[in-house]
Amino acid sequence: MSTHKESSSHSRWREFLRGCLDEAPILLGTMPFGLIYGVLALNAGLPAGLAQAMSAIVFAGSAQFIAAQLIGQATAGVVVVVTIFVVNLRHALYSASLAPYLKHLSLGWKALLAYLLTDEAYAVAIVRYQRDAEAGHAPPFQHWYTLGAATTLWSSWQVATAVGVFLGGSVPASWGLDFTLALTFIALVFTAVRTRPMWVAAITAGGVAVVAHGLPYNFGLLLAAAGGILAGMIAEAQTGVAQRRPFPNP
Amino acid sequence: MEWLPVLIIGGLLTFATRLSFIALLGRFEAPEVVTRALRYVPPAVLSAIIFPEVLLRDGVFVTPWVNPRLYAGIVAGLIAWRTRNVLLTIGVGMAVFWALGWAGM
């Protein structure tokens, strides 16, 4: 009995470590990002404690970037909340995608892994789950692997933020570091856009955002997001209709 | 610290989003239209943030030919399109932005 217990705690630990190792290469990309966030947040006028707290409370790179910017511009609190919510809505997709693999876990485990669920942790975890599913087996401690990957990202994110916050005070505003926000999002939009309707969504949202920029409390951002989503869905519906025609290309 | 409650609510909503399907699976099936709409959230939100950042300054449209952010943004876009490398995109974009500023734009 005790041998069984020992070997199962051993394999838990092994799964955890494998998750940590598989997440490690991704830190090359996320740690500089966390560092820039820390610098940017301080430049935007956030107190160091608040900038650091956001990394633990919100724990989502792009949402933290934009929230820091909005807080610096003295946006209404409700717009900051709604913006964080909208920017992070994509996590619902990850949640839906991982849900079947986490079905058997306790609510505590589900809550823990959900708190730690980010783009980068999802990317590593889903590859493992799908590989196991294709091989036709489900090792009992897969969730320890996910926990290892996710906590590796979490801890490195907190450390990177702390370094950025520490350096932030010595970076002058004239460096224009706030521009890294736009550059980061330009990089991300090219990975997010994969189909023509997605381009329609992106360009519509960008256009509406510029036109509606004068609206108070940065409300134009939300209007633009809604407009872009709607335009993308309309474009998709139209392509769908076109594809259903018997002879689309005579 | 008057912003702390705002961050806590934003964090709780983010947590709820991440937990949503994981907690509800089997009890609730998302309508197809919702999952379809969710796919357009990243492109729409990202470019709703990018466009004003690049084209406007303090809420005013910047004349395109004297706007270093526009040129740096276009170069960054090309890099992102060719390489999909986030760090390289930021690095080259900032280099172009600083070079144009140094050249007096």
Side-chain angles (χ1 to χ4, degrees), chain A residues 57 59 69 75 86-88 92 95-96 99 103 111 114-115 117 175 178 183-185 190 197 202 205-206 209 213 236, chain B residues 3 7 14-15 18 21-22 25 36 40-41 44-45 47-51 53 56-57 59 76 81 84 90 94 98:
Chain A
I57 296 170
F59 186 41
Q69 192 101 320
T75 310
V86 172
V87 172
N88 285 336
S95 186
K103 210 158 77 178
Y115 164 68
L117 181 60
W175 285 17
D178 61 312
L183 292 173
T184 308
F185 285 19
F190 278 90
H213 188 262
E236 183 190 311
Chain B
W3 287 101
L7 293 185
T14 301
F15 174 62
R18 287 166 169 165
F21 292 96
I22 292 175
L25 191 81
R36 204 143 40 93
Y40 293 102
V41 171
V45 170
S47 63
I49 293 165
I50 295 167
F51 276 59
E53 283 287 322
L56 312 170
R57 209 74 211 122
W81 177 49
R84 307 282 153 109
I90 298 175
M94 280 315 277
W98 280 330

Side-chain angles (χ1 to χ4, degrees), chain A residues 189 192-193 195-209 224-225 227-229 231-232, chain B residues 40-51:
Chain A
V189 85
V193 175
T195 63
R196 190 188 293 265
M198 284 182 171
W199 277 115
V200 174
I203 290 164
T204 308
V208 175
I229 293 165
Chain B
Y40 293 102
V41 171
V45 170
L46 291 170
S47 63
I49 293 165
I50 295 167
F51 276 59

Side-chain angles (χ1 to χ4, degrees), chain A residues 44-68:
Chain A
L46 266 73
L50 196 69
Q52 186 71 49
M54 184 158 25
S55 276
I57 296 170
V58 179
F59 186 41
S62 9
Q64 289 180 225
F65 264 63
I66 186 69

Side-chain angles (χ1 to χ4, degrees), chain A:
Chain A
M1 190 64 207
S2 86
T3 346
H4 172 73
K5 225 175 190 171
E6 244 172 54
S7 80
S8 81
S9 90
H10 177 69
S11 45
R12 280 190 189 110
W13 184 235
R14 226 181 29 203
E15 287 278 8
F16 184 84
L17 277 181
R18 267 182 58 197
C20 297
L21 287 175
D22 285 352
E23 188 71 33
I26 294 185
L27 304 187
L28 274 179
T30 56
M31 289 197 72
F33 193 35
L35 197 141
I36 293 172
Y37 158 73
V39 173
L40 185 83
L42 247 69
N43 267 312
L46 266 73
L50 196 69
Q52 186 71 49
M54 184 158 25
S55 276
I57 296 170
V58 179
F59 186 41
S62 9
Q64 289 180 225
F65 264 63
I66 186 69
Q69 192 101 320
L70 292 177
I71 290 173
Q73 295 166 1
T75 310
V78 63
V79 174
V80 177
V81 165
V82 176
T83 303
I84 291 175
F85 174 66
V86 172
V87 172
N88 285 336
L89 259 183
R90 68 185 185 286
H91 290 103
L93 284 177
Y94 307 153
S95 186
S97 159
L98 283 181
Y101 304 108
L102 308 180
K103 210 158 77 178
H104 63 287
L105 297 178
S106 66
L107 187 61
W109 264 99
K110 286 177 178 172
L112 176 63
L113 293 180
Y115 164 68
L116 295 169
L117 181 60
T118 53
D119 306 78
E120 293 82 5
Y122 168 77
V124 168
I126 192 66
V127 168
R128 164 74 195 282
Y129 281 121
Q130 286 176 345
R131 200 177 51 214
D132 282 355
E134 274 162 27
H137 66 112
F141 302 119
Q142 282 169 314
H143 52 293
W144 282 87
Y145 174 89
T146 308
L147 183 68
T151 44
T152 302
L153 187 80
W154 188 90
S155 353
S156 69
W157 185 252
Q158 308 308 321
V159 171
T161 303
V163 175
V165 165
F166 179 71
L167 295 176
S170 52
V171 176
S174 63
W175 285 17
L177 269 191
D178 61 312
F179 189 48
T180 52
L181 173 87
L183 292 173
T184 308
F185 285 19
I186 287 171
L188 295 178
V189 85
F190 278 90
T191 44
V193 175
R194 290 181 309 271
T195 63
R196 190 188 293 265
M198 284 182 171
W199 277 115
V200 174
I203 290 164
T204 308
V208 175
V210 171
V211 174
H213 188 262
L215 291 180
Y217 311 120
N218 275 316
F219 186 69
L221 173 64
L222 303 179
L223 196 68
I229 293 165
L230 196 67
M233 293 180 77
I234 291 170
E236 183 190 311
Q238 280 177 348
T239 1
V241 169
Q243 280 164 354
R244 272 197 295 276
R245 276 188 306 199
F247 304 106
N249 297 311

